[in-house]
Amino acid sequence: MTNVTMDTSSFRSFTPREPQTGVPREPAPPTPFISFIKPQGQLYNYNRHKTHKDQPENIPKGFRDAMSVREKVYVEEQGVALENEFDNDDHRSCHWVIYASVNETISPAVLDPQTGALLRARRSTSTALPIGTIRLVPFPHEAHPRNGGIYLNGVLTNVGDPVRPRSSETVKPLQPQEIQGGSRRNSLYIRDFPTTFHNGQEPYVKLGRLAVLKEFRNKGIAGQLVRTAISWMQAHYTVFNPSPTTLGFDRLGMDVTGQLPKWRGLFCIHAQEEAVQVWERYGFQVDEKMGKWFEEGIAHVGMWLRVEVGKGGHTVA
């Protein structure tokens, strides 16, 4: 995969306020807040064979909190192997973690048994508990999964659909001779088979690893995470676009900006089949031409959403 150098100073925390409409659901969780974790190069030191509690000290706490939720949901609940939950996309992705402020009693109140008068007040402490997470993976991506494919740790373990091609193209930075050549082949793109909503070439970003702790589900937490990630990408719609400066074309005096891949509002998810209705609430549509495949033994389908992009933004440099 192409490693594009990012100017991470352009990343900022984004904590939206959800509109309060109608009567809140009961029981409502403590007021949550969202933390943004920018792409982290030091995640290369993450040990996929250990839990979030046993990682090196240089792994950001926010990412360890994200993994604490993912381990609860995907590893403990759904049976995904621990070493397969962390993958090579984590270090280049944006992550969001939603927290709830939870009060824990240190010591209960003490009352006078004769009069009922308060002798010692209850002592408590407030803890920020990570309760949900989501990630956004920038382009480029591996080719779409094969219909009928069985994947373990991202590796196809069966033949799958023999008719559907799978790209074997190696993604690498665009070379000057490729721009100057007659074919103008842009290797920052993945050549893929066209689907219902994707032409096989347009850059897209991928949402995934959406997870909410069981006791906090059905309270709008997942929706808040999805809307936060989508809104952030709309506002920072050029942040993952490669620039001539990054690729060195400015030093060659070449104007190739019109030929470099640009994100134009397309989101993809590899949704668990049983979660399709959840993603449909946020506007995603099932892509019938992508078929169905299995990741870590769980049936998945492809879904897409196209949004309008905002003005401004921050370009990778």
Side-chain angles (χ1 to χ4, degrees):
M1 303 294 288
T2 300
N3 290 324
V4 179
T5 302
M6 296 183 186
D7 176 10
T8 55
S9 64
S10 65
F11 292 101
R12 295 291 185 270
S13 296
F14 180 63
T15 307
R17 299 292 183 187
E18 282 206 78
Q20 301 297 315
T21 56
V23 179
R25 297 178 181 178
E26 296 292 345
T31 303
F33 64 94
I34 297 178
S35 177
F36 173 73
I37 302 100
K38 63 186 178 183
Q40 300 285 341
Q42 62 262 48
L43 294 187
Y44 285 112
N45 296 325
Y46 197 92
N47 189 330
R48 66 177 66 240
H49 299 282
K50 296 183 178 181
T51 69
H52 68 283
K53 297 179 181 179
D54 299 316
Q55 296 301 323
E57 292 183 359
N58 67 334
I59 300 299
K61 181 183 182 301
F63 183 74
R64 284 184 274 124
D65 287 345
M67 290 302 295
S68 73
V69 178
R70 286 163 53 174
E71 287 168 13
K72 281 282 187 182
V73 174
Y74 294 118
V75 178
E76 296 181 18
E77 285 188 42
Q78 299 185 4
V80 174
L82 175 65
E83 61 268 24
N84 294 349
E85 175 50 33
F86 177 88
D87 66 17
N88 293 332
D89 280 332
D90 273 320
H91 76 277
R92 70 190 190 102
S93 297
C94 295
H95 301 263
W96 287 265
V97 181
I98 192 165
Y99 296 83
S101 181
V102 178
N103 287 319
E104 296 179 309
T105 299
I106 298 176
S107 61
V110 178
L111 303 179
D112 186 308
Q114 301 298 325
T115 65
L118 180 66
L119 299 178
R120 189 179 68 193
R122 171 181 172 270
R123 295 173 59 202
S124 64
T125 183
S126 181
T127 303
L129 176 70
I131 61 174
T133 187
I134 194 172
R135 80 176 183 186
L136 185 151
V137 188
F139 62 90
H141 302 281
E142 298 292 343
H144 298 317
R146 289 195 183 194
N147 184 30
I150 298 175
Y151 294 85
L152 292 176
N153 198 22
V155 177
L156 180 67
T157 62
N158 70 329
V159 176
D161 185 348
V163 177
R164 180 169 295 173
R166 182 172 175 84
S167 173
S168 60
E169 177 180 345
T170 300
V171 181
K172 58 184 183 300
L174 193 63
Q175 300 300 313
Q177 61 269 26
E178 292 181 304
I179 286 291
Q180 294 172 325
S183 64
R184 294 180 180 264
R185 175 178 171 274
N186 189 338
S187 62
L188 284 171
Y189 284 98
I190 284 286
R191 262 50 174 193
D192 217 335
F193 62 86
T195 72
T196 306
F197 300 107
H198 185 230
N199 63 8
Q201 294 188 18
E202 180 181 351
Y204 61 90
V205 296
K206 188 162 64 174
L207 291 180
R209 295 303 201 272
L210 174 63
V212 177
L213 296 185
K214 183 184 296 185
E215 56 268 38
F216 290 92
R217 291 173 194 163
N218 301 316
K219 295 177 172 65
I221 301 299
Q224 191 169 350
L225 285 164
V226 172
R227 287 189 290 272
T228 295
I230 290 175
S231 297
W232 183 89
M233 193 64 209
Q234 285 178 286
H236 300 80
Y237 66 99
T238 64
V239 71
F240 297 119
N241 293 345
S243 69
T245 301
T246 301
L247 301 176
F249 294 123
D250 58 324
R251 295 190 295 273
L252 300 175
M254 300 173 62
D255 181 12
V256 296
T257 54
Q259 301 170 38
L260 296 179
K262 296 180 180 179
W263 185 72
R264 295 182 173 85
L266 191 60
F267 285 89
C268 177
I269 56 170
H270 292 175
Q272 293 187 11
E273 194 171 36
E274 64 180 23
V276 165
Q277 290 184 338
V278 174
W279 287 102
E280 286 178 337
R281 296 175 194 164
Y282 314 126
F284 284 84
Q285 295 178 275
V286 173
D287 194 318
E288 300 293 344
K289 289 187 178 179
M290 290 182 70
K292 180 170 68 174
W293 64 94
F294 296 83
E295 298 179 17
E296 309 301 322
I298 303 171
H300 282 69
V301 296
M303 301 182 74
W304 299 85
L305 170 71
R306 186 178 292 279
V307 301
E308 294 183 359
V309 297
K311 297 180 180 180
H314 306 275
T315 302
V316 174

